[in-house]
Amino acid sequence: MKRLFVIKALMLLLITAAMMLSFTRCRKSLETVTPAGGEKVCITINVSNGSRHDVNPENGLVTYTEGDVIYVGNEGKYIGTLTCHEADDHYEFVGDITNPQTTDYLHFYFIGGINVDLSSLTVGETTSFDVDISNQTTTLPVLSYVHTAEHYYGETAYRCMLENKCGLVKFTLANGTSEAAKITGMKTGATINFADPGNPIVANGTRDAITMKSENETDKLAIILPQDAVTDGLVLIDGVAYSYDMAAVTENDYLTINIDNTTPSTDKVFTVSKNGNVVRFSLGNLQYDKRTSKYSFMEHQYDVVETEYQNVGENYSRQDIVGLFGWGTGDNPTMTSEDTLDYEVFKDWGDYCGDPTGNSYHWYTLSEDEWAWLIGIRAQAAPGVTCREGNRFLHARITVDGKSYYGIIVYPDGYYGGIGGYAYNNYRNVAAVSAGDWSSMEAAGAVFLPGAGTRNGLKVSDCNIKGGYWSSTLSNYRVDLYNDRAVYLMLFMDDLFTSLDPSGRTRRIFGYSVRLVR
């Protein structure tokens, strides 16, 4: 039986009116069974509106088919699943819930069109699990939630309506195509949260490309988690990027967007995931001015702020401009604390810097996985499998106005050389790049990440010798001396042993560079 899902979308009532549920304890199971986890109760959900429809944004009906699953929570824990079965004149969700407590509601999470490994969930223990909505080629996911109006109290019936927690977006192309279309930079991970029913289904921060469902050659559909508006976003079709703008997506939303796929975007993009997500880099490292309390991007890609042997003072008391930040200090950029506990929660600089370019772009910090895909880990570099294809980077010293700047030149997608006789994807040897060649590379979309050094507490060292660029990813690795969790960063050095590691690890208290993307 073909599985088809549709998000309630067009009208303001949306999914809140799409699924009427009546919950009763199964009459064949009135006797209680007492397993190790506590009382097990069999319940049946009778679905009064259960007709099937194909994906239809004109009426937006959510439908259910054989095998659909509702996950049940109670007292902040997962307590069982209910599975859809076709009855004579309706559909029923039937299953067991274990040890429901009368001090809480029954919380129902309908997760349609997504395969979940049930063996990874433990009744009475699991407080949350994650789902991925990046591939919507054949099935639109359904993420909805409701809790019963009353606390659980045995055999009495309950009624409620599921509420949609996502939005449906329809992209209409100027030129129809049968090629897969991807929308990039979306939040593609959702956390099903039993522990906090006030936030039952939330985006977990993962950004990737969503492969959309083709309604026909011109209309492409995607389920989008609630998120901010997108300015100058990208849709990829057959490897070509096209720009679009999208309003903020809210729960139960329905948006339509026209895509002019006759005119490709002129921006140079960089693939940062196996799924095909692409980003655009800021053309300069991030800096913060204490005098104005504002962030900005440095004027030139090779610009740095701190100098060798500099003592910046506590909270940068000895200088006004900050360029080496402790990990996740978007809300407190001048912090120089050497206490790891002061860096417990990652605050992305992109969430605090606004848009220094004067547009309405939203900037963010790459994850460890994205740095690794962008650059490639030397011992594991298999283009198209563990990292992106083509000429990815050049370990280099560029000379501008007689001054040498050490760093990494990162090439955009589709760059195949032609400027100078350099050995690309160079993990070891450092190429000497002339000002003219660098100017040509920059015009072709290349990004330069200068080796701005590192700050240990108040002292700066290794300027123009070492470069580190923060990721947003905390590591499970424990730093031996301090026994605190390390964090990933893209790290390179031109010293006795020249090296480059997009998945380097360090302590959170050190100061390193930030290069944002959008």
Side-chain angles (χ1 to χ4, degrees), residues 39 46 57 78 110 112 153 171-172 196 241 272 313 323 335 355 362 393 410 417 431 442 460 493 510:
E39 179 187 5
N46 294 316
Y78 160 73
F110 179 45
Y153 58 103
F171 292 85
T172 300
D196 181 10
V272 293
M335 185 163 66
D355 182 16
H362 184 270
F393 68 93
V410 184
E442 187 175 33
V460 177
M493 180 176 290
F510 292 145

Side-chain angles (χ1 to χ4, degrees), residues 172-230:
T172 300
L173 307 180
N175 286 339
T177 179
S178 59
E179 297 288 340
K182 295 184 177 185
I183 177 174
T184 74
M186 296 292 102
K187 294 182 178 180
T188 59
T191 296
I192 311 307
N193 195 352
F194 301 108
D196 181 10
N199 295 287
I201 300 173
V202 295
N204 61 26
T206 303
R207 293 178 184 271
D208 209 333
I210 290 176
T211 304
M212 296 187 284
K213 187 178 190 302
S214 242
E215 181 72 355
N216 50 56
E217 288 204 342
T218 57
D219 292 334
K220 313 299 177 182
L221 302 175
I223 300 304
I224 306 295
L225 292 158
Q227 59 185 43
D228 294 338
V230 176

Side-chain angles (χ1 to χ4, degrees), residues 86-395:
E86 186 173 1
D88 293 337
D89 57 354
H90 62 280
Y91 296 96
E92 295 180 344
F93 283 85
V94 181
D96 292 333
I97 58 175
T98 298
N99 202 25
Q101 300 296 304
T102 58
T103 52
D104 190 20
Y105 308 97
L106 294 179
H107 301 269
F108 296 94
Y109 303 76
F110 179 45
I111 314 300
I114 301 173
N115 292 323
V116 176
D117 180 9
L118 288 177
S119 67
S120 66
L121 308 181
T122 303
V123 169
E125 295 183 12
T126 297
T127 58
S128 67
F129 66 91
D130 293 336
V131 295
D132 183 353
I133 63 169
S134 60
N135 188 351
Q136 302 181 17
T137 307
T138 59
T139 303
L140 290 174
V142 177
L143 299 173
S144 50
Y145 164 82
V146 72
H147 69 70
T148 53
E150 309 90 356
H151 284 188
Y152 170 75
Y153 58 103
E155 300 176 22
T156 306
Y158 307 84
R159 293 183 65 82
C160 54
M161 293 181 290
L162 283 169
E163 297 174 348
N164 177 27
K165 296 300 178 180
C166 294
L168 174 64
V169 181
K170 179 171 74 172
F171 292 85
T172 300
L173 307 180
N175 286 339
T177 179
S178 59
E179 297 288 340
K182 295 184 177 185
I183 177 174
T184 74
M186 296 292 102
K187 294 182 178 180
T188 59
T191 296
I192 311 307
N193 195 352
F194 301 108
D196 181 10
N199 295 287
I201 300 173
V202 295
N204 61 26
T206 303
R207 293 178 184 271
D208 209 333
I210 290 176
T211 304
M212 296 187 284
K213 187 178 190 302
S214 242
E215 181 72 355
N216 50 56
E217 288 204 342
T218 57
D219 292 334
K220 313 299 177 182
L221 302 175
I223 300 304
I224 306 295
L225 292 158
Q227 59 185 43
D228 294 338
V230 176
T231 299
D232 199 21
L234 292 174
V235 167
L236 299 180
I237 303 172
D238 197 21
V240 180
Y242 303 92
S243 296
Y244 74 92
D245 293 336
M246 183 172 73
V249 177
T250 60
E251 295 179 0
N252 237 8
D253 217 346
Y254 177 58
L255 302 176
T256 59
I257 297 174
N258 294 321
I259 302 294
D260 179 11
N261 60 324
T262 62
T263 307
S265 169
T266 58
D267 288 354
K268 300 301 180 180
V269 298
F270 300 75
T271 301
V272 293
S273 82
K274 188 173 185 177
N275 195 43
N277 195 47
V278 298
V279 299
R280 292 167 285 197
F281 276 86
S282 63
L283 291 182
N285 281 359
L286 186 68
Q287 63 183 5
Y288 178 79
D289 191 330
K290 289 168 48 184
R291 297 164 297 186
T292 60
S293 300
K294 290 184 178 180
Y295 285 99
S296 63
F297 297 133
M298 298 182 194
E299 182 179 1
H300 305 105
Q301 297 208 52
Y302 47 77
D303 285 344
V304 296
V305 171
E306 287 79 2
T307 57
E308 187 74 0
Y309 307 124
Q310 182 179 12
N311 185 320
V312 302
E314 187 174 355
N315 296 329
Y316 275 86
S317 63
R318 298 184 181 180
Q319 71 178 70
D320 293 323
I321 307 295
V322 178
L324 296 175
F325 303 93
W327 183 70
T329 53
D331 63 337
N332 192 6
T334 63
M335 185 163 66
T336 55
S337 170
E338 296 183 68
D339 185 348
T340 303
L341 295 179
D342 289 332
Y343 305 85
E344 282 292 288
V345 179
F346 179 78
K347 302 292 184 66
D348 198 322
W349 298 271
D351 293 335
Y352 293 87
C353 72
D355 182 16
T357 69
N359 298 290
S360 299
Y361 304 143
H362 184 270
W363 300 90
Y364 67 96
T365 307
L366 291 175
S367 68
E368 181 267 337
D369 286 342
E370 289 173 321
W371 277 118
W373 188 266
L374 177 76
I375 300 294
I377 299 173
R378 185 183 188 198
Q380 305 170 7
V385 179
T386 61
C387 61
R388 67 186 178 126
E389 299 178 288
N391 292 320
R392 301 188 300 280
F393 68 93
L394 177 66
H395 211 64

